[in-house]
Every structure is written in structure tokens, then in C-alpha cells.
Amino acid sequence: MQKITDVVLATERYGSAESWKYLAKDGVMERRREGTGGESKGNSIVGVFKSVFLPQGYPESVSKDYLQYQFWDTVQAFSSSLSGTLATQASLKGVGVGNQEATVAAATVTWLLRDGTGMLGRILFAWQKGSKLDSEAKKWRLFADVLNDIAMFMEILAPYFPAFFTLIVCSAGVFKSIVGVAGGATRAALTVHQARRDNMADISAKDGSQETLVNLAGLLVSLILIPLVTDNPVLTLSLFFLFTILHLFANYKAVRSVVMETFNEARLSIVLQQYLKDNQVLSPQEANKREPVFIELRKSSPIKLGVRLQDILRSPDELDLALKQSDMPYLLGVKNGCVCVCLGPETTVDDEIRAMCQAIWLSSRLSDQASRDQQRKGHWEMVQESHKLMDKVFGPFLRGVEAAGWDIKRTLLDWDEWRVEWKIKSN
């Protein structure tokens, strides 16, 4: 009697999960998972958990740093939830909850003033720093979390200074409003980085589910903590500092785990300076490890991108100097120790990267103590020298960064919107 063998008709796979095959056996098509005889209950539970809390198509549909970032983000969210419970308890106590002499009107006024100042702070911060949140998402993400801890600490201390309670909680409200703007905007910027299949909405929704689960866990722990810390300021402050240290550490690890493949000023500066030093192009992983994640209050030679023409030059002679040795669709100049870049209307992404490379080189020369003698000769000579340098190195540099895995189709450089079309051409 002839033995009937199973014939494989097709195979299928769901993302990077187990593969399945369809077999023809005795005229019937049978679906069977490869490697095991069937699907276990444990695997089905894990699968349901992944489908609820992870984006569809994970891990192929997200960036490689997604899981590490989400782990530390979960830790910081849990510790922040517990710190927030302690701060909320202190705020309620400060407005008179549990105090028979307190009035509803006084508590309401305090709460309204807190919310009102917070709204004004939100508008002003978005106006002043909104354009910076994309280009420096890591810095502002960490800044927001540090400011959030400061605000909660102020709320915990506020009840012990009743004469200044309203002032303190209003200041804390302003800080928290800034946290809301910076935290939400930078989270959106990180979601853009993590989304690899135009699935920003799915990643954002699953991040909300993860945060809700963490807050639920924090709520359960808070139910145990509240009876312990009530009327015990020493234990309250001790636990707050413990949670704050954990919160800040987790946030630092979270932003450090992010590996962005697009250039902002810091990452481009790190890669360019290394290339000019030894002709080596750093990978995105190496450059992101060196990228600073703390806000710098003042730079020695700052760079302004997309400025007005009058921010670079004042006379037709200076325009001729700016165009000398260059036919690029941008102008560079130095004003009051600041490197300024003026863009033409037809500037490409490659032109923007090149202009930024020149600005970085000029900024480093201005900051270099050894270049003071050259600065006395005039900064236009330095600008012309930068054009010659870019003519020599930019082509190989751009090919090198693309080969190293950098995304040069777009940038996160902080360009302003001024565009200038100049009429004079240098001979």
C-alpha cells in the first residue's frame, strides 16, 4: 500500500511570530504551526498582551530602541504617579480639606488662580519654545520631567508656608503647564521617530494604554501609601525623594536609549567634528551616545538659522563679500559673536546640511582661543575659508553619513522661516 505524504500548499507568517503552513492531506487542507504541534495557552496569553499594549507588527513596525525606551518610560511613569499622589495630598490639605475653618470659596479661588496662571504659562512657553521641541526633543523631554519634580516638591512644601501657599501653588501650576506642553510635544516627536510604517496613531494609542496600566498600578500602591504618610511629613518627604531619584534616573536612561537617525545641530556637530578630525563617520548609535541631553543655558558661539538678510550684512559691499567664493543658495555671516545663516528660496535638504556644517565649523573657530588673531582680520575671511573647506569635504562627508545609516532626506535643524533672493552675483 502506497504511503500518503503531506503536501505543503502554502506558508504564512504574522510579522516575526511563528510561521504556519497549509498541508494537503487526503483532499483536505490543514493549517499547522511549524515547530510545535499546536498553540499553547501561555503563548496565547502573551499574544493577547502584545496585541493590547504593543503596536501592530511589533517589532518590525517600530524603531529598534522602542522596547528599551518604553521600559524606562514605564518606570518613570510609575514613580511619577506615586510622587504625584503625595503632591496631590499636600495640595488638598493646603486648600483646607479636613480643616473645619477653611471655606469652599477660598479653596475655589486658590484652585482657579492655580489653573489660570497655568494656562498663561502654557501659552507663553509654546510661543517662546515651540519650534525647539522637535529639534531638541531629548533635552526638552528630560527638562520637562525635572521641572515636574520641582513642581511636585513645591506642592508638598506649600502647606507648611500658609502665608505663601497661593503663590507657591500658582508657581507650581505654571511649571506643570510647561511640563504638559514640553512633555506632550516631545512625546509626539519621539513617536514620529519610533513609527516605521506611518503608524504614529497606533503607537500613540498603545503608549496611552501602557501609561493607563502604569497609573492603575500606581493607584493601587497609592492606596497603601496614603494611610502611612498622612500627618507624617518626614515619611512623605523621604518617599518623595526616593521616587524622585528613581524618576530622574529612569528618564535619563530613557532619553539615552533613543537613537535618532536624523540630524539636529548637536548630532551633526558631533559627526562633523569627528570626520574633520580623522575622516571617520560615526554611526547613529555612536553619535547619540555622545549627544548632550541637558539644556545649555548659553552657548559661546550660538548659531541662528534662516535669519533675515540684515542680520548678516549692512551694505552692498558686504553682500559681495558674502557671495565671494560661493555659488550656494545660502549666505553665512558673523554678527556679535553669533553665526547666522540666510537661506535662499530654492534651498534643498543637502544645502541645509551643508550650510549647517559651515556654521558649525565657524562656531567652533569663533570659540577657539587660538583663532583670535584670525578674527581680528575680519570674519569674512573665515566665511570664505569655510566655503573652500566644504567644497573639499562635504561631498565625501555626505556619502559617508548616508552609508553609515543616517537619514539625510530630512533634518531636525531649527530653521526659521525667512527666505531671501539676492540679486548681486560675485564675479
Side-chain angles (χ1 to χ4, degrees):
M1 183 175 179
Q2 186 177 4
K3 184 178 180 181
I4 300 176
T5 58
D6 297 339
V7 179
V8 178
L9 300 177
T11 60
E12 65 181 5
R13 177 185 298 273
Y14 187 81
S16 60
E18 298 88 346
S19 60
W20 300 76
K21 57 185 177 181
Y22 290 86
L23 307 173
K25 184 175 182 180
D26 298 331
V28 179
M29 188 168 66
E30 178 184 346
R31 184 173 184 263
R32 185 183 304 170
R33 191 174 66 180
E34 292 184 347
T36 60
E39 186 175 7
S40 65
K41 182 179 180 181
N43 286 336
S44 65
I45 295 176
V46 172
V48 171
F49 183 85
K50 287 183 177 181
S51 65
V52 172
F53 294 104
L54 294 176
Q56 180 177 326
Y58 172 86
E60 289 84 3
S61 62
V62 296
S63 59
K64 294 181 180 179
D65 55 17
Y66 177 83
L67 187 61
Q68 186 176 3
Y69 174 84
Q70 292 302 126
F71 171 77
W72 289 112
D73 189 55
T74 299
V75 174
Q76 70 87 18
F78 179 74
S79 56
S80 179
S81 176
L82 298 179
S83 298
T85 299
L86 299 177
T88 300
Q89 183 197 33
S91 296
L92 293 175
K93 181 179 178 181
V95 297
V97 175
N99 185 356
Q100 295 180 354
E101 297 180 358
T103 64
V104 175
T108 303
V109 169
T110 301
W111 217 257
L112 290 176
L113 289 174
R114 176 180 177 271
D115 290 346
T117 53
M119 293 174 187
L120 291 176
R122 185 180 298 112
I123 294 172
L124 293 175
F125 179 77
W127 170 45
Q128 288 292 323
K129 298 297 183 181
S131 62
K132 303 286 186 182
L133 301 179
D134 283 303
S135 60
E136 298 181 339
K138 294 183 186 180
K139 291 183 178 181
W140 288 106
R141 176 74 177 180
L142 190 58
F143 170 83
D145 289 302
V146 172
L147 195 61
N148 188 49
D149 289 332
I150 294 175
M152 289 190 291
F153 182 60
M154 293 172 65
E155 290 178 340
I156 289 177
L157 292 182
Y160 303 102
F161 301 92
F164 302 98
F165 178 81
T166 301
L167 177 62
I168 294 174
V169 296
C170 287
S171 301
V174 172
F175 290 170
K176 284 195 170 183
S177 68
I178 294 174
V179 171
V181 175
T186 54
R187 182 65 190 121
L190 293 175
T191 302
V192 173
H193 157 70
Q194 293 172 340
R196 296 305 159 98
R197 292 183 181 174
D198 294 327
N199 55 340
M200 283 182 55
D202 185 30
I203 292 178
S204 180
K206 296 303 170 57
D207 181 67
S209 297
Q210 296 170 21
E211 186 173 354
T212 301
L213 180 64
V214 171
N215 289 335
L216 179 60
L219 176 63
L220 296 176
V221 176
S222 298
L223 293 175
I224 301 174
L225 286 180
I226 291 301
L228 300 177
V229 300
T230 302
D231 298 326
N232 192 337
V234 175
L235 182 58
T236 299
L237 289 175
S238 300
L239 290 175
F240 174 78
F241 284 122
L242 176 63
F243 296 145
T244 299
I245 292 172
L246 178 61
H247 179 240
L248 295 178
F249 175 76
N251 271 292
Y252 177 80
K253 296 292 288 186
V255 297
R256 274 297 182 200
S257 69
V258 175
V259 179
M260 289 189 168
E261 299 90 359
T262 49
F263 282 129
N264 65 356
E265 180 181 336
R267 291 189 288 273
L268 182 55
S269 177
I270 292 168
V271 175
L272 177 65
Q273 291 179 8
Q274 185 68 38
Y275 181 80
L276 294 177
K277 180 180 179 181
D278 56 15
N279 284 337
Q280 297 296 319
V281 177
L282 297 177
S283 67
Q285 291 80 7
E286 294 169 328
N288 276 266
K289 287 181 181 178
R290 302 186 187 182
E291 181 185 5
V293 294
F294 294 102
I295 297 292
E296 298 173 337
L297 297 179
R298 180 175 176 81
K299 296 181 180 179
S300 56
S301 298
I303 298 174
K304 294 182 180 180
L305 305 175
V307 301
R308 298 171 297 179
L309 185 63
Q310 69 179 23
D311 292 330
I312 294 181
L313 46 88
R314 293 289 185 179
S315 67
D317 292 338
E318 286 191 330
L319 177 59
D320 189 62
L321 288 172
L323 293 170
K324 189 176 181 180
Q325 303 291 340
S326 172
D327 57 355
M328 302 304 297
Y330 58 82
L331 301 176
L332 285 95
V334 179
K335 184 176 180 181
N336 299 326
C338 177
V339 180
C340 300
V341 184
C342 183
L343 283 184
E346 298 179 355
T347 308
T348 65
V349 176
D350 289 355
D351 295 332
E352 292 180 358
I353 296 176
R354 172 172 169 147
M356 189 66 195
C357 288
Q358 284 187 244
I360 291 170
W361 183 84
L362 282 170
S363 177
S364 65
R365 294 299 299 271
L366 290 172
S367 302
D368 186 4
Q369 190 68 30
S371 68
R372 300 304 183 194
D373 293 338
Q374 187 171 358
Q375 291 181 43
R376 295 191 186 100
K377 301 176 183 179
H379 65 267
W380 290 116
E381 288 83 353
M382 297 178 64
V383 171
Q384 293 159 15
E385 185 180 350
S386 70
H387 283 300
K388 294 178 181 179
L389 176 66
M390 287 298 114
D391 289 338
K392 179 180 179 181
V393 306
F394 183 71
F397 172 74
L398 192 65
R399 292 190 294 270
V401 297
E402 187 175 15
W406 290 97
D407 180 9
I408 59 173
K409 296 180 181 179
R410 65 186 186 93
T411 67
L412 292 173
L413 302 174
D414 186 24
W415 293 98
D416 206 343
E417 298 304 312
W418 293 103
R419 298 295 181 269
V420 181
E421 186 174 0
W422 43 89
K423 305 298 183 181
I424 300 177
K425 297 294 183 182
S426 178
N427 292 328

